[in-house]
Amino acid sequence: MSLIIAPSILSADFANLTQEIEKVEKAGCDWIHVDVMDGHFVPNISIGLPVIRCLNKIATVPLDVHLMITNPDRYLEDFAEAGASYITVHTEACVHLQRTLAHIRKLGKKAGVSLNPATPPEALQYVLDDLDLVLIMSVNPGFGGQKFIPAILPKISKLRQMFEKAGKKDIHISVDGGINSETAKLVTAAGADVLVAGSSIYGSANVKEAISNLRKAAQQ
Ligand code: DX5
Ligand code: ZN
C-alpha cells in the first residue's frame, strides 16, 4: 500500500481554512483529517457539520472524518451528506459496532474504527468484513500537540498480522497523535500506511518540507 499523509486541520488556522487546505494540498497531501469532538466522549469541543460542508466545497482530496463523539449512529447520515469520504467512529463509543460500520458503508462511505491507546486490537477481530480503516490513537484523543505513546506500537503489527491472516490486506492502518518524522519511522515500520499529523505539519514554517520529511521517514 502506498503511504497516505493526512494533515489534521485541528492545528490549522480556523480563521483561514481555505488557505490552510490549499496549502497542504499544494504540498502534496493525500487526505484531509477532520477531528470532530463533542465535549462528552473527549473533554474538548472542536468543529461539526456546518464546517465540514464548507470544507467539502474547498477540498479536492478526500475528507477523513474522525468522530470523537458519543452516539455517532445518530449522525452518520449527516456526516455522509456533509461530504465525508471516510467516517471513523470510536469503538469505545459504539454498542453495536458491526451495525454502525455496515451503516456507514450503506451510505456509500468508507468505514473506519478508532482505538484509544488502552483498547486492545482484538476489539476488531469480528468486524473485519465491514472495515476499511483502523485509526490507532497514539495519544488519548481530545487535543493536538500531545506526546506519542510508544506502547501502542505492538498494536500496529498485531493488527497488520490479523488483517493478513484474514486476507484483508486492503484495510488501512492509520496512526493519529504525536506523529512527526521520528515517530513516523516507527509506526510505518510496524505496518501503518496512513499518517495523521496536526502540529508537525501545520506548526511547521514549511509545510511542504514537513510533508516530504514524513514521507522520507516512512521509507527508512
Ligand atoms: C487528537 C486528534 C488528532 C490531532 C493530532 O485527538 O485526533 O487528529 O489533531 O494532533 P497532533 O498531530 O498534533 O498530535
Ligand atoms: Zn484525529
Side-chain angles (χ1 to χ4, degrees):
M1 263 193 253
S2 52
L3 184 75
I4 287 165
I5 306 279
S8 165
I9 56 150
L10 190 64
S11 296
D13 176 1
F14 282 1
N16 290 296
L17 279 176
T18 305
Q19 291 94 311
E20 294 287 74
I21 298 282
E22 281 171 358
K23 186 161 89 177
V24 288
E25 287 190 348
K26 267 196 202 133
C29 76
D30 303 284
W31 299 347
I32 301 286
H33 184 84
V34 185
D35 289 303
V36 178
M37 304 179 184
D38 67 351
H40 290 272
F41 181 72
V42 289
N44 201 3
I45 299 177
S46 59
I47 54 168
L49 290 159
V51 176
I52 294 179
R53 284 189 198 107
C54 294
L55 293 176
N56 189 40
K57 290 187 204 150
I58 307 162
T60 60
V61 298
L63 297 180
D64 173 35
V65 176
H66 177 192
L67 298 181
M68 285 163 273
I69 63 175
T70 51
N71 198 3
D73 298 275
R74 197 170 148 193
Y75 300 101
L76 297 178
E77 272 98 354
D78 293 330
F79 283 103
E81 165 271 325
S85 291
Y86 283 80
I87 300 180
T88 295
V89 295
H90 267 264
T91 186
E92 304 86 3
C94 292
V95 180
H96 307 290
L97 183 62
Q98 189 279 333
R99 178 187 286 156
T100 304
L101 297 176
H103 189 180
I104 296 172
R105 278 192 170 171
K106 213 171 160 198
L107 293 166
K109 306 299 174 183
K110 301 283 188 192
V113 177
S114 187
L115 306 179
N116 278 339
T119 302
E122 289 76 18
L124 298 180
Q125 181 83 63
Y126 302 107
V127 295
L128 300 186
D129 288 342
D130 303 284
L131 195 60
D132 296 297
L133 174 144
V134 52
L135 181 65
I136 299 177
M137 292 310 301
S138 39
V139 297
N140 289 291
F143 303 93
Q146 301 182 81
K147 201 170 171 287
F148 181 83
I149 299 171
I152 62 93
L153 284 168
K155 208 188 305 193
I156 302 173
S157 32
K158 277 188 187 165
L159 282 169
R160 193 48 87 200
Q161 277 167 20
M162 188 197 290
F163 297 166
E164 282 186 8
K165 218 169 159 187
K168 305 279 182 190
K169 290 187 183 165
D170 293 340
I171 301 177
H172 292 291
I173 298 185
S174 181
V175 186
D176 185 6
I179 297 296
N180 54 37
S181 29
E182 286 309 306
T183 53
K185 215 182 294 175
L186 306 175
V187 301
T188 51
D193 68 295
V194 183
L195 299 174
V196 175
S199 43
S200 76
I201 293 179
Y202 279 110
S204 159
N206 188 337
V207 160
K208 197 166 185 171
E209 200 176 271
I211 290 180
S212 78
N213 284 344
L214 288 176
R215 289 199 198 279
K216 274 185 221 149
Q219 281 162 8
Q220 283 167 7

